[in-house]
């Protein structure tokens, strides 16, 4: 595997930040409309919208990508099941029986799952710097979620929905690591289109059963349709394409810490969109998250260079 250039790594990190920003809006919108649409309907409608957006671009490229698709169809099947069919659907179901705070706290375990499973599957030994960066980012995320009161963890109560959040995190870890096993050269648009098809086939029976239990199809309101359109384009197509590209550039371990930006961005959205106050723990938590990401992402050579940079600058003055 070729080592990424500094320029491509910086691009990948920017893509990861933008991805987390878009995905954080996914959870905000899902909580806002969960009473107007079922979890399977939300997941199926979201991915159907994304698929319709990709078909005009992906179908003309399908024939050229077909050899690579055939070579790794089993991997693509698993990625579609775990990444598209299960992860977000489990979260949509979970928020009906657990609090948003519980969901965000438990979702913070996902980066750790990525690191642990990655070290086991790829037999890669993680450095103390990577673990330290991950721990610092985790502390920042918890500081924001618990509103500065880390002792609030002692009042954490487990519910049935919490298990679904953990299961969703595990599915996402499998998806993230699975991306690294794909053969290079596969067209990202075609790959995303195939994954969406797999996810939709998996979701279809659950969506039909949910619709039947609700008494048949009902006309959705304009606001819900607008939300589905947004979710299908931005947190789905754009964010997934950016995430897949970033994983290919910097790997799953470095990308895992960026998942902690989701609760941070969620808090910022509450401040900007809902008029909530900016508190000290928002600033401290964001600082801890970004510090942890930098600590876990920089190479040893980059850290040494950064440490000597002030001396070089002072000598040049």
């Amino acid at each position: 595997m070729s080592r990424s250039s500094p320029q491509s790594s910086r691009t990948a990190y920017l893509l990861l930040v933008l991805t987390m920003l878009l995905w954080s809006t996914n959870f905000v919108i899902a909580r806002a409309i969960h009473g107007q649409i079922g979890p399977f309907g939300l997941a199926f409608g979201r991915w159907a919208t994304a698929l319709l957006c990709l078909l005009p671009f992906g179908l003309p490229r399908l024939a050229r990508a077909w050899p690579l698709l055939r070579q790794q169809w089993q991997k693509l099947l698993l990625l579609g099941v775990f990444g598209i069919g299960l992860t977000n659907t489990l979260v949509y179901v979970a928020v009906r029986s657990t609090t948003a705070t519980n969901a965000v706290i438990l979702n913070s375990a996902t980066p750790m799952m990525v690191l642990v499973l990655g070290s086991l599957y790829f037999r890669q030994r993680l450095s103390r710097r990577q673990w330290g960066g991950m721990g610092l980012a985790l502390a920042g995320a918890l500081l924001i979620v618990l509103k500065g009161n880390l002792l609030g963890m002692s009042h954490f109560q487990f519910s049935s929905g919490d298990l679904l959040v953990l299961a969703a995190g595990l599915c996402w870890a499998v998806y993230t690591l699975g991306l690294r096993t794909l053969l290079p050269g596969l067209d990202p648009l075609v790959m995303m289109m195939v994954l969406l098809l797999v996810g939709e086939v998996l979701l279809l029976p659950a969506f039909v059963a949910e619709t039947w239990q609700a008494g048949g199809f009902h006309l959705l309101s304009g606001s819900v349709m607008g939300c589905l359109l947004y979710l299908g384009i931005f947190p789905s197509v754009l964010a997934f394409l950016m995430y897949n590209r970033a994983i290919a550039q910097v790997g799953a371990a470095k990308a895992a810490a960026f998942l902690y930006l989701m609760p941070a961005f969620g808090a910022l959205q509450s401040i900007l969109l809902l008029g909530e106050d900016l508190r000290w723990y928002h600033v401290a938590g964001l600082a801890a998250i970004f510090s942890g990401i930098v600590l876990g992402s920089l190479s040893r050579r980059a850290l040494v260079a950064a440490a000597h940079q002030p001396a070089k600058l002072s000598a040049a003055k």
Side-chain angles (χ1 to χ4, degrees):
M1 184 183 302
S2 62
R3 185 173 298 178
S4 300
S5 66
Q7 180 63 38
S8 63
S9 295
R10 286 193 292 269
T11 301
Y13 296 145
L14 176 60
L15 292 177
L16 285 169
V17 172
L18 294 175
T19 298
M20 300 311 145
L21 177 60
L22 291 176
W23 279 345
S24 65
T25 65
N26 169 45
F27 288 97
V28 173
I29 292 176
R31 288 196 297 267
I33 65 174
H34 79 273
Q36 304 176 58
I37 186 172
F40 295 106
L42 177 58
F44 187 85
R46 170 191 178 183
W47 299 124
T49 304
L51 184 58
L52 289 175
C53 292
L54 283 180
L55 283 176
F57 306 98
L59 283 178
R61 307 183 186 191
L62 184 59
R64 187 171 54 187
W66 186 250
L68 276 176
L69 291 175
R70 288 186 59 186
Q71 280 184 267
Q72 46 194 342
W73 68 268
Q74 293 172 317
K75 293 180 181 179
L76 292 169
L77 178 63
L78 288 176
L79 289 175
V81 169
F82 284 97
I84 305 299
L86 292 178
T87 300
N88 281 273
T89 308
L90 290 174
V91 172
Y92 294 158
V93 176
V95 295
R96 292 177 163 250
S97 56
T98 188
T99 65
T101 300
N102 277 26
V104 174
I105 291 175
L106 291 171
N107 191 60
S108 298
T110 302
M112 293 296 183
M113 293 181 186
V114 173
L115 287 183
V116 172
L117 290 180
S119 63
L120 292 175
Y121 184 81
F122 294 107
R123 297 182 179 179
Q124 293 178 343
R125 187 174 180 179
L126 300 173
S127 66
R128 285 179 292 181
R129 175 173 49 80
Q130 286 178 304
W131 285 114
M134 191 66 65
L136 184 59
L138 173 60
L142 292 178
L143 189 66
I144 293 173
V145 172
L146 298 175
K147 299 181 178 179
N149 180 22
L150 293 180
L151 296 179
M153 283 290 293
S154 61
H155 303 296
F156 183 87
Q157 295 182 345
F158 217 69
S159 69
S160 58
D162 297 331
L163 292 175
L164 294 177
V165 177
L166 290 174
L170 184 60
C171 290
W172 186 250
V174 172
Y175 173 78
T176 299
L177 295 169
L179 289 173
R180 295 290 286 172
T181 67
L182 293 176
L183 297 175
L186 181 58
D187 190 305
L189 286 177
V190 175
M191 183 186 76
M192 192 66 209
M193 183 181 68
V194 171
L195 297 184
L196 288 172
L197 282 171
V198 173
E200 286 291 80
V201 170
L202 179 66
L203 287 169
L204 182 59
F207 169 59
V208 172
E210 180 183 75
T211 303
W212 179 77
Q213 289 181 349
F217 290 96
H218 299 283
L219 186 63
L220 297 176
S221 66
S223 60
V224 174
M225 291 294 294
C227 289
L228 285 177
L229 186 62
Y230 170 83
L231 291 176
I233 296 175
F234 294 98
S236 300
V237 175
L238 293 180
F240 267 78
L241 288 175
M242 291 189 295
Y243 186 74
N244 294 348
R245 179 181 173 184
I247 290 292
Q249 291 291 336
V250 301
K254 290 184 178 180
F258 283 79
L259 293 169
Y260 290 124
L261 286 174
M262 291 176 64
F265 284 149
L268 289 178
Q269 289 170 35
S270 298
I271 294 170
L272 296 175
L273 301 178
L274 302 179
E276 296 185 2
D277 296 330
L278 179 66
R279 304 290 186 179
W280 67 268
Y281 49 80
H282 293 131
V283 178
L286 275 173
I289 291 172
F290 276 108
S291 298
I293 289 173
V294 171
L295 180 63
S297 300
L298 288 179
S299 65
R300 184 183 182 89
R301 182 181 300 176
L303 288 173
V304 172
H308 290 288
Q309 190 65 24
K312 293 181 181 180
L313 289 176
S314 60
K317 287 182 180 179

